[in-house]
């Protein structure tokens, strides 16, 4: 549905994005993840036809966003970073105006407006002036605007910014509900959002894509090693020795002790379950096993690891 | 066409959502009314004086076209008042869209740039026509007290309309250059004033240069219309100035995409 090839954009000699390539299949939700200034907004602005690329190409539903801009734009619903609202209008009249300029036929206009008002839960504020609305409502009006005309492709730049936790949940459910019938590209810097809503993640940093994968694969690939947290009663040094003796253990990190309770992080090779051996080693040594659990690396840690590493080549190979 | 109308409708209504429309219209009516009553009294008085004088000397009274003189003077005054009002009408057309970020909406929906530009131009022009309409309420008193010849009044309004269209187009262009409405208004004033007094710079040397420069004066051409002469060079001048302003706006909006 969306094909982006080797896209680059230069502002006054500074490369905002450089060689960005990705594709989104029909019905998929793609998350764009990256720190501020990574090039998320620039990429989205190019895909929506707001600005042309310096190099490369982007196609939406087979239409080049620059050469066949109007055709491409007809198929895109776009929520910019700052929702483009006319503050002096009421929610309903604003949505009417947007459906008019999106070319929605006169007959479908009112039902379409009603539909997005319901989807974005704006019934209570439909007749209020946008300037008087809270940030969360404004954001939802922006989202409603993007949904008008039922476009095949939705490009949402930080759709949940400014919402309270309940609203965030609502919007995520809404976006999830769009999958299948719509193709969605959304950007965010909130990581749980990506793992909750997206089928695939693109991590972008300093204008370059550094990883593309499913959220699950990304976390497991980047982990590199399994980690187990273990808490046991007994002499710390003897314990450490016993743990190091277990086959498959690559590293034992002492995390300190309180009284006779010692805590460790045990690392092992990937895809090797050593919990059984660890437990029996602890018990056989005469120590009291108090707690043991697998530590999974959160997407957050993956992300930080990715964007702080100097050398991205290892990741790209993965 | 439908798209132009959609933009036109929103922009025209938005004048009345903000205080700008009411302030501009009130000040305009106030100023126009003051000047009108002033002109009216002055001309009627001088006509009476002249009538009395000719009676004193026992000469036949010279016919004086009082309504025509009032109309001519009033048109001249109107053109100056409007000159100050037009930048107020046009200052927000694009600068406000840029400041609020709504330009991103306009440029990513299936609208061509020229549709956006024309929609906005007609919104500004229609607002300008509202002002002309209000001024006609004053002018209408002439019809109540006398029967003025329609020709000069018609041509005067036609001239003002053409003059307004060209200034609205140029003002609209200026508003694409900045996100700040005040700057857009000041730039608009500056530009219009230069076009207004440009013939003064040329002096009266009668050279080709002077002829060219005075041709560019927006007020020169209007004088013929006020006298009741609809002359082709004037019409062409205003229409080409309008088209020029619209094209500049179009190019400027186009360049947003490149400047990012």
């Amino acid at each position: 549905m969306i094909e982006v090839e080797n896209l680059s954009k230069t502002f006054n000699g500074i490369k905002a994005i450089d060689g960005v390539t990705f594709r989104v299949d029909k019905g998929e939700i793609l998350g764009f993840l990256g720190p501020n200034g990574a090039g998320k907004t620039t990429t989205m602005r190019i895909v929506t036809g707001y600005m042309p690329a310096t190099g490369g190409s982007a196609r939406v539903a087979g239409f080049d966003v620059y050469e066949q801009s109007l055709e491409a734009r007809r198929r895109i619903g776009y929520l910019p970073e700052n929702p483009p609202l006319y503050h002096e209008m009421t929610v309903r009249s604003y949505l009417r105006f947007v459906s008019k300029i999106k070319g929605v036929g006169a007959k479908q206009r009112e039902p379409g407006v009603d539909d997005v008002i319901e989807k974005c839960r704006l019934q209570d504020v439909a007749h209020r002036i946008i300037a008087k609305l809270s940030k969360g409502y404004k954001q939802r009006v922006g989202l409603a605007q993007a949904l008008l005309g039922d476009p095949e492709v939705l490009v949402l730049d930080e759709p949940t910014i400014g919402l309270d936790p309940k609203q965030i949940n609502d919007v995520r459910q809404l976006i999830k509900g769009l999958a299948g019938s719509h193709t969605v590209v959304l950007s965010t810097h909130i990581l749980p959002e990506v793992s909750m809503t997206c089928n695939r993640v693109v991590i972008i940093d300093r204008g370059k894509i550094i990883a593309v994968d499913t959220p699950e694969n990304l976390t497991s690939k980047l982990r590199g090693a399994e980690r187990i947290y273990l808490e046991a009663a007994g002499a710390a040094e003897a314990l450490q020795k016993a743990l190091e003796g277990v086959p498959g253990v690559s590293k034992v990190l002492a995390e300190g002790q309180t009284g006779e309770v010692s805590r460790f992080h045990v690392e092992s090779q990937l895809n090797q379950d050593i919990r059984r051996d660890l437990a029996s080693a602890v018990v056989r040594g005469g120590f009291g096993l108090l707690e043991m659990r697998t530590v999974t690396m959160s997407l957050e840690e993956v992300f930080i690891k990715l964007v702080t590493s100097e050398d991205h080549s290892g990741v790209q190979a993965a | 066409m439908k798209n132009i109308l959609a933009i036109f409708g929103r922009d025209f209504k938005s004048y009345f959502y903000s205080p700008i429309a009411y302030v501009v219209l009130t000040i305009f009516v106030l100023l126009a009314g003051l000047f009108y009553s002033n002109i009216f009294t002055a001309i009627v008085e001088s006509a009476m004086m002249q009538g009395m004088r000719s009676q004193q000397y026992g000469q036949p009274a010279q016919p004086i076209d009082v309504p025509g003189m009032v109309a001519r003077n009033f048109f001249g005054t109107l053109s100056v008042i409007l000159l100050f009002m037009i930048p107020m009408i046009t200052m927000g057309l694009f600068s406000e869209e840029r400041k609020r970020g709504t330009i991103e909406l306009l440029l990513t929906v299936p609208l061509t740039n020229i549709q956006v530009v024309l929609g906005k131009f007609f919104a500004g022009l229609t607002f300008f026509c509202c002002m002309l309409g209000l001024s006609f309420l004053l002018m209408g008193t002439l019809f109540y007290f006398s029967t003025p010849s329609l020709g000069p009044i018609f041509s005067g309004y036609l001239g003002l309309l053409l003059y307004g269209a060209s200034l609205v187009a140029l003002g609209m262009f200026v508003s694409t250059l900045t996100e700040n409405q005040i700057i857009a208004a000041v730039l608009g004033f500056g530009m219009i004033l230069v076009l207004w007094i440009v013939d003064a710079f040329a002096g009266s040397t009668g050279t080709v240069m002077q002829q060219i420069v005075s041709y560019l004066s927006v007020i020169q051409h209007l004088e013929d219309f006020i006298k009741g002469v609809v002359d082709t060079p004037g019409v062409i001048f205003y229409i080409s100035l309008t088209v020029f302003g619209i094209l500049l706006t179009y190019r400027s909006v186009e360049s947003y995409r490149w400047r990012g």
Side-chain angles (χ1 to χ4, degrees):
Chain A
M1 207 60 181
I2 304 174
E3 292 149 309
V4 172
E5 251 168 73
N6 215 3
L7 211 60
S8 58
K9 176 78 187 174
T10 314
F11 293 113
N12 301 324
I14 298 159
K15 279 192 169 171
I17 55 168
D18 186 11
V20 166
T21 301
F22 65 90
R23 49 176 299 141
V24 192
D25 294 323
K26 193 168 167 39
E28 208 182 7
I29 302 184
L30 180 85
F32 240 75
L33 201 59
N36 293 333
K40 290 173 292 187
T41 300
T42 305
T43 311
M44 293 190 147
R45 283 182 164 174
I46 293 171
V47 170
T48 54
Y50 179 60
M51 50 168 71
T54 315
S57 71
R59 300 170 77 80
V60 171
F63 296 103
D64 189 283
V65 295
Y66 184 66
E67 301 287 338
Q68 297 148 302
S69 187
L70 286 187
E71 283 303 316
R73 284 192 236 163
R74 258 186 253 283
R75 287 161 179 82
I76 301 175
Y78 175 39
L79 169 64
E81 204 175 8
N82 303 309
L85 307 173
Y86 292 103
H87 287 191
E88 72 279 2
M89 298 174 98
T90 66
V91 172
R92 189 174 275 278
S93 60
Y94 169 71
L95 293 175
R96 264 191 213 129
F97 166 68
V98 176
S99 42
K100 245 188 248 174
I101 57 174
K102 279 189 172 185
V104 178
K107 276 187 188 152
Q108 294 101 311
R109 224 176 276 152
E110 271 316 291
V113 168
D114 286 334
D115 187 46
V116 296
I117 285 181
E118 197 191 309
K119 270 188 184 151
C120 300
R121 305 194 184 191
L122 294 166
Q123 296 95 329
D124 297 342
V125 296
H127 292 286
R128 288 181 53 190
I129 287 178
I130 293 175
K132 307 275 180 203
L133 299 181
S134 68
K135 178 113 174 62
Y137 270 122
K138 281 183 188 154
Q139 186 71 21
R140 283 193 274 166
V141 176
L143 189 62
Q145 162 275 122
L147 293 173
L148 278 173
D150 204 25
E152 298 165 63
V153 175
L154 284 164
V155 178
L156 311 173
D157 202 346
E158 311 212 336
T160 56
I161 205 164
L163 302 180
D164 67 35
K166 192 188 166 296
Q167 295 169 337
I168 288 180
N169 200 38
D170 289 348
V171 168
R172 282 181 193 157
Q173 293 306 324
L174 176 68
I175 293 170
K176 265 186 157 176
L178 296 169
S181 53
H182 298 74
T183 308
V184 183
V185 178
L186 64 89
S187 79
T188 179
H189 54 247
I190 308 165
L191 293 139
E193 190 156 294
V194 168
S195 38
M196 265 183 258
T197 50
C198 302
N199 307 108
R200 277 196 308 142
V201 186
V202 169
I203 296 185
I204 184 168
D205 183 39
R206 278 167 275 173
K208 287 191 171 147
I209 288 186
I210 54 181
V212 186
D213 216 325
T214 62
E216 298 79 28
N217 280 353
L218 266 183
T219 37
S220 67
K221 265 181 196 163
L222 281 149
R223 217 183 301 154
E226 302 274 357
R227 253 185 182 202
I228 288 164
Y229 173 80
L230 191 141
E231 219 176 277
E237 282 186 22
L239 246 171
Q240 183 152 4
K241 274 227 173 80
L243 292 175
E244 277 167 353
V246 174
V249 169
S250 51
K251 210 195 245 172
V252 178
L253 302 158
E255 297 284 322
Q257 66 184 107
T258 38
E260 61 163 2
V261 180
S262 311
R263 293 178 297 275
F264 300 95
H265 267 121
V266 182
E267 280 185 9
S268 70
Q269 304 300 319
L270 201 59
N271 302 327
Q272 215 176 343
D273 196 353
I274 56 160
R275 285 176 296 179
R276 205 166 307 170
D277 296 339
L278 276 180
S280 59
V282 172
V283 176
R284 248 188 289 123
F287 310 104
L289 180 60
L290 300 176
E291 190 185 343
M292 182 164 74
R293 61 182 151 88
T294 319
V295 182
T296 46
M297 206 167 171
S298 69
L299 200 54
E300 214 129 343
E301 288 167 279
V302 172
F303 176 66
I304 288 166
K305 204 165 167 179
L306 273 172
V307 299
T308 50
S309 64
E310 284 297 309
D311 176 26
H312 292 144
S313 56
V315 183
Q316 219 130 38
Chain B
M1 192 62 209
K2 233 169 38 186
N3 293 333
I4 298 176
L5 271 177
I7 298 287
F8 163 80
R10 201 214 71 80
D11 270 78
F12 183 66
K13 272 189 231 155
S14 85
Y15 280 123
F16 295 93
Y17 287 139
S18 75
I20 293 179
Y22 305 100
V23 173
V24 169
L25 289 178
T26 312
I27 300 289
F28 172 73
V29 170
L30 204 71
L31 285 176
L34 274 174
F35 278 108
Y36 184 74
S37 64
N38 235 342
I39 292 166
F40 194 89
T41 352
I43 288 174
V44 169
E45 261 173 20
S46 77
M48 270 165 61
M49 294 288 280
Q50 211 167 324
M52 270 157 66
R53 222 173 300 144
S54 48
Q55 231 168 23
Q56 256 177 357
Y57 298 113
Q59 290 162 343
Q62 295 271 322
I64 299 169
D65 177 17
V66 173
M69 278 175 77
V70 172
R72 272 200 298 280
N73 275 289
F74 186 53
F75 277 131
T77 315
L78 269 185
S79 69
V80 181
I81 303 173
L82 289 170
L83 181 93
F84 285 96
M85 295 293 169
I86 287 172
M88 305 285 182
I89 305 176
T90 58
M91 65 182 180
L93 284 176
F94 278 94
S95 59
E96 195 61 11
E97 302 272 0
R98 279 179 69 185
K99 196 172 164 193
R100 294 240 199 92
T102 42
I103 192 77
E104 205 164 342
L105 173 72
L106 296 183
L107 298 186
T108 54
V109 292
L111 287 181
T112 58
N113 290 354
I114 198 74
Q115 288 171 335
V116 176
V117 171
L118 286 178
K120 285 183 173 290
F121 168 72
F122 286 119
L125 187 62
T126 308
F127 190 82
F128 174 80
C129 289
C130 290
M131 290 162 70
L132 283 190
L134 285 173
S135 77
F136 189 74
L137 293 180
L138 298 166
M139 202 72 109
T141 54
L142 290 181
F143 290 89
Y144 185 75
F145 292 119
S146 64
T147 46
S149 55
L150 284 171
I153 289 184
F154 175 75
S155 73
Y157 270 112
L158 179 69
L160 279 182
L161 179 68
L162 289 168
Y163 161 86
S166 61
L167 297 188
V168 166
L170 292 172
M172 175 171 73
F173 162 63
V174 167
S175 90
T176 64
L177 301 177
T178 167
E179 285 185 18
N180 188 315
Q181 289 206 39
I182 311 279
I183 294 177
V186 173
L187 280 176
F189 279 135
M191 189 180 59
I192 293 173
L193 276 176
V194 167
L195 283 175
W196 198 50
I197 54 167
V198 73
D199 57 334
F201 296 134
S204 47
T205 48
T207 58
V208 181
M209 191 60 203
Q210 188 252 332
Q211 280 173 344
I212 293 171
V213 171
S214 61
Y215 180 75
L216 288 175
S217 165
V218 285
I219 214 82
Q220 277 291 329
H221 297 277
L222 192 60
E223 274 162 17
D224 289 333
F225 283 98
I226 292 173
K227 278 179 208 149
V229 184
V230 179
D231 70 337
T232 328
V235 175
I236 292 173
F237 170 77
Y238 285 124
I239 289 179
S240 44
L241 198 59
T242 309
V243 172
F244 180 62
I246 290 174
L247 282 181
L248 280 181
T249 313
Y250 172 71
R251 295 311 268 174
S252 178
V253 171
E254 198 90 317
S255 79
Y256 288 167
R257 296 179 190 273
W258 298 97
R259 283 182 288 164

